[in-house]
Amino acid sequence: MDYQGPSFKRATLLVADIDRSLAIYRDILGFQGGEVNNSLPTSYSYEVFNLDPKATLRTSMLSAGPNQVRTLALFEIKGQPITTPQSPRPVAMVINAVNLPAVMEKIKAKGLTTIAPRPLKTPEGRTGTETAFIDPDGHLVVLYELTGP
C-alpha cells in the first residue's frame, strides 16, 4: 500500500542577501539551482511571513538532487529587517553533507559561527560526525556525514 501521510515539500528561509545565501547553500553545501526571481507584490508570501507590503521580495528555489526538487527556498527581503531568535534557537535544518570536513572549512572561511563537531550514532547503529553553523541571517544548520556501517 502506498504511503497516505503528509509529504514534506520545502523549507523557506528569509534572508537579507540572496547572493550571499546562494554562496553557502548552493556553492558550499551543494544544493542545485538558484535562479533568482522577483516576486509580485500580490504574492501570498507577504501575508504568510507577515511582510511589510512596501518590502521587496526576491526568491530562489534550490533542489537536493532530482528526487528532492525545490526543497529549499531562499526569500530575500529588502525594506524590512529580519529577526531570528538565537536563544534558544527555535528551528534547525538538518542536512546530510558530502565531505563534511571540506564543507566546514569553507563555512569557517566565511567567518560564520560554528558549533564543535561530535561523534554521531544513529538509531540504526550507523556512525559518523555531526556539527553545525549559524548562517549570516541567524538560521541554524546542522550538518552530518555518516562514515560507518
Side-chain angles (χ1 to χ4, degrees), residues 19 28 34-35 37 43 47 53 59 63 69 73 83 90 93-94 96 115-116 119 126 128 136 140:
D19 295 317
I28 295 176
E35 179 181 333
N37 296 296
S43 169
E47 183 178 346
T59 64
S63 298
V69 178
T83 56
M93 288 192 308
V94 180
N96 181 7
I115 299 170
R126 305 258 341 253
L140 174 62

CSV table of all heavy atoms in Angstrom, one decimal, residues 19 28 34-35 37 43 47 53 59 63 69 73 83 90 93-94 96 115-116 119 126 128 136 140:
chain,number,residue,atom,x,y,z
A,19,ASP,N,22.3,36.5,-2.8
A,19,ASP,CA,23.6,36.1,-3.4
A,19,ASP,C,24.5,35.5,-2.3
A,19,ASP,O,25.2,34.5,-2.5
A,19,ASP,CB,24.2,37.2,-4.1
A,19,ASP,CG,23.4,37.7,-5.3
A,19,ASP,OD1,22.9,36.8,-6.1
A,19,ASP,OD2,23.3,38.9,-5.5
A,28,ILE,N,28.6,26.0,-1.5
A,28,ILE,CA,29.3,25.2,-0.5
A,28,ILE,C,28.5,23.9,-0.1
A,28,ILE,O,29.1,22.8,-0.2
A,28,ILE,CB,29.5,26.0,0.8
A,28,ILE,CG1,30.5,27.2,0.5
A,28,ILE,CG2,30.1,25.1,1.9
A,28,ILE,CD1,30.7,28.1,1.7
A,34,GLY,N,19.1,27.8,-8.3
A,34,GLY,CA,19.5,29.1,-7.8
A,34,GLY,C,19.1,30.3,-8.6
A,34,GLY,O,19.5,31.4,-8.4
A,35,GLU,N,18.2,30.0,-9.6
A,35,GLU,CA,17.8,31.2,-10.4
A,35,GLU,C,17.0,32.1,-9.5
A,35,GLU,O,16.2,31.7,-8.7
A,35,GLU,CB,16.8,30.7,-11.5
A,35,GLU,CG,16.3,31.8,-12.4
A,35,GLU,CD,15.3,31.3,-13.5
A,35,GLU,OE1,15.5,30.1,-13.9
A,35,GLU,OE2,14.4,32.1,-13.9
A,37,ASN,N,14.3,35.1,-8.9
A,37,ASN,CA,13.2,35.7,-9.5
A,37,ASN,C,12.6,36.8,-8.5
A,37,ASN,O,12.6,36.7,-7.3
A,37,ASN,CB,12.1,34.7,-9.7
A,37,ASN,CG,12.5,33.7,-10.7
A,37,ASN,OD1,12.8,34.0,-11.9
A,37,ASN,ND2,12.7,32.4,-10.3
A,43,SER,N,2.1,38.5,-4.0
A,43,SER,CA,2.5,37.2,-3.5
A,43,SER,C,1.9,36.8,-2.2
A,43,SER,O,1.9,37.7,-1.2
A,43,SER,CB,4.0,37.1,-3.5
A,43,SER,OG,4.4,35.9,-2.8
A,47,GLU,N,1.7,37.9,3.1
A,47,GLU,CA,0.7,37.6,4.2
A,47,GLU,C,1.3,36.5,5.1
A,47,GLU,O,1.2,36.6,6.3
A,47,GLU,CB,-0.6,37.1,3.6
A,47,GLU,CG,-1.7,36.9,4.6
A,47,GLU,CD,-3.0,36.5,4.0
A,47,GLU,OE1,-3.2,36.7,2.7
A,47,GLU,OE2,-3.9,36.0,4.7
A,53,PRO,N,4.1,45.4,3.2
A,53,PRO,CA,3.8,45.4,1.8
A,53,PRO,C,4.7,46.3,0.9
A,53,PRO,O,4.8,46.1,-0.3
A,53,PRO,CB,2.3,46.0,1.7
A,53,PRO,CG,1.9,46.0,3.1
A,53,PRO,CD,3.0,45.9,4.0
A,59,THR,N,13.2,35.6,-4.8
A,59,THR,CA,13.2,34.2,-4.4
A,59,THR,C,14.1,33.4,-5.3
A,59,THR,O,14.4,33.7,-6.4
A,59,THR,CB,11.8,33.6,-4.5
A,59,THR,OG1,11.4,33.6,-5.8
A,59,THR,CG2,10.8,34.4,-3.6
A,63,SER,N,17.3,22.7,-5.2
A,63,SER,CA,16.9,21.3,-5.1
A,63,SER,C,18.1,20.5,-4.5
A,63,SER,O,19.2,20.9,-4.6
A,63,SER,CB,16.6,20.7,-6.5
A,63,SER,OG,15.5,21.4,-7.1
A,69,VAL,N,13.2,18.0,-5.4
A,69,VAL,CA,13.1,19.2,-6.2
A,69,VAL,C,12.5,20.4,-5.4
A,69,VAL,O,11.5,20.2,-4.8
A,69,VAL,CB,12.3,19.0,-7.5
A,69,VAL,CG1,12.2,20.2,-8.4
A,69,VAL,CG2,12.9,17.8,-8.3
A,73,ALA,N,13.9,27.0,-0.2
A,73,ALA,CA,13.6,28.3,-0.9
A,73,ALA,C,14.3,29.4,-0.1
A,73,ALA,O,14.3,29.4,1.2
A,73,ALA,CB,12.1,28.6,-0.9
A,83,THR,N,14.5,39.2,11.8
A,83,THR,CA,15.0,38.9,13.1
A,83,THR,C,14.8,37.3,13.3
A,83,THR,O,13.8,36.8,12.9
A,83,THR,CB,14.2,39.6,14.2
A,83,THR,OG1,12.8,39.3,14.1
A,83,THR,CG2,14.4,41.1,14.1
A,90,PRO,N,15.0,28.3,17.7
A,90,PRO,CA,13.8,27.7,17.6
A,90,PRO,C,13.6,26.6,16.5
A,90,PRO,O,12.8,25.8,16.5
A,90,PRO,CB,12.8,28.8,17.4
A,90,PRO,CG,13.6,29.9,16.7
A,90,PRO,CD,15.0,29.7,17.3
A,93,MET,N,17.7,23.3,10.4
A,93,MET,CA,17.7,22.4,9.2
A,93,MET,C,18.8,21.4,9.4
A,93,MET,O,19.9,21.7,9.9
A,93,MET,CB,18.0,23.2,8.0
A,93,MET,CG,16.8,24.1,7.6
A,93,MET,SD,17.1,24.7,5.9
A,93,MET,CE,18.7,25.4,6.0
A,94,VAL,N,18.5,20.1,9.1
A,94,VAL,CA,19.5,19.0,9.3
A,94,VAL,C,19.7,18.5,7.9
A,94,VAL,O,18.8,18.1,7.2
A,94,VAL,CB,18.9,17.9,10.2
A,94,VAL,CG1,20.0,16.8,10.3
A,94,VAL,CG2,18.6,18.5,11.6
A,96,ASN,N,22.4,16.3,5.3
A,96,ASN,CA,23.5,15.3,5.1
A,96,ASN,C,24.5,15.9,4.2
A,96,ASN,O,24.2,16.2,3.0
A,96,ASN,CB,22.9,14.0,4.5
A,96,ASN,CG,24.0,12.9,4.3
A,96,ASN,OD1,25.1,13.1,4.7
A,96,ASN,ND2,23.6,11.9,3.6
A,115,ILE,N,29.6,25.3,15.5
A,115,ILE,CA,29.4,24.6,16.8
A,115,ILE,C,30.3,23.3,16.6
A,115,ILE,O,30.2,22.6,15.6
A,115,ILE,CB,27.9,24.2,17.0
A,115,ILE,CG1,27.1,25.5,17.1
A,115,ILE,CG2,27.8,23.3,18.2
A,115,ILE,CD1,25.6,25.4,17.1
A,116,ALA,N,31.0,23.0,17.6
A,116,ALA,CA,32.0,22.0,17.6
A,116,ALA,C,31.4,20.6,17.1
A,116,ALA,O,30.3,20.3,17.5
A,116,ALA,CB,32.7,21.8,18.9
A,119,PRO,N,30.9,13.0,17.6
A,119,PRO,CA,30.5,11.8,17.0
A,119,PRO,C,29.0,11.6,17.0
A,119,PRO,O,28.3,12.0,17.9
A,119,PRO,CB,31.2,10.7,18.0
A,119,PRO,CG,32.2,11.5,18.7
A,119,PRO,CD,31.7,12.9,18.8
A,126,ARG,N,24.3,3.3,12.7
A,126,ARG,CA,25.4,3.9,11.8
A,126,ARG,C,26.1,5.0,12.5
A,126,ARG,O,25.6,5.6,13.5
A,126,ARG,CB,24.7,4.6,10.6
A,126,ARG,CG,23.8,3.7,9.8
A,126,ARG,CD,24.3,3.2,8.5
A,126,ARG,NE,25.4,3.8,7.8
A,126,ARG,CZ,25.3,4.5,6.7
A,126,ARG,NH1,24.1,4.8,6.1
A,126,ARG,NH2,26.4,4.9,6.1
A,128,GLY,N,29.1,8.4,12.4
A,128,GLY,CA,29.6,9.5,11.6
A,128,GLY,C,29.9,10.7,12.5
A,128,GLY,O,30.2,10.5,13.7
A,136,PRO,N,24.5,33.6,7.8
A,136,PRO,CA,24.5,35.0,8.1
A,136,PRO,C,23.2,35.7,8.5
A,136,PRO,O,23.2,36.8,9.1
A,136,PRO,CB,24.9,35.6,6.7
A,136,PRO,CG,25.6,34.5,6.0
A,136,PRO,CD,24.9,33.2,6.5
A,140,LEU,N,20.0,28.2,12.1
A,140,LEU,CA,20.8,27.1,12.5
A,140,LEU,C,20.8,26.0,11.4
A,140,LEU,O,19.7,25.6,11.0
A,140,LEU,CB,20.3,26.6,13.8
A,140,LEU,CG,21.0,25.3,14.4
A,140,LEU,CD1,22.5,25.5,14.6
A,140,LEU,CD2,20.3,24.9,15.6
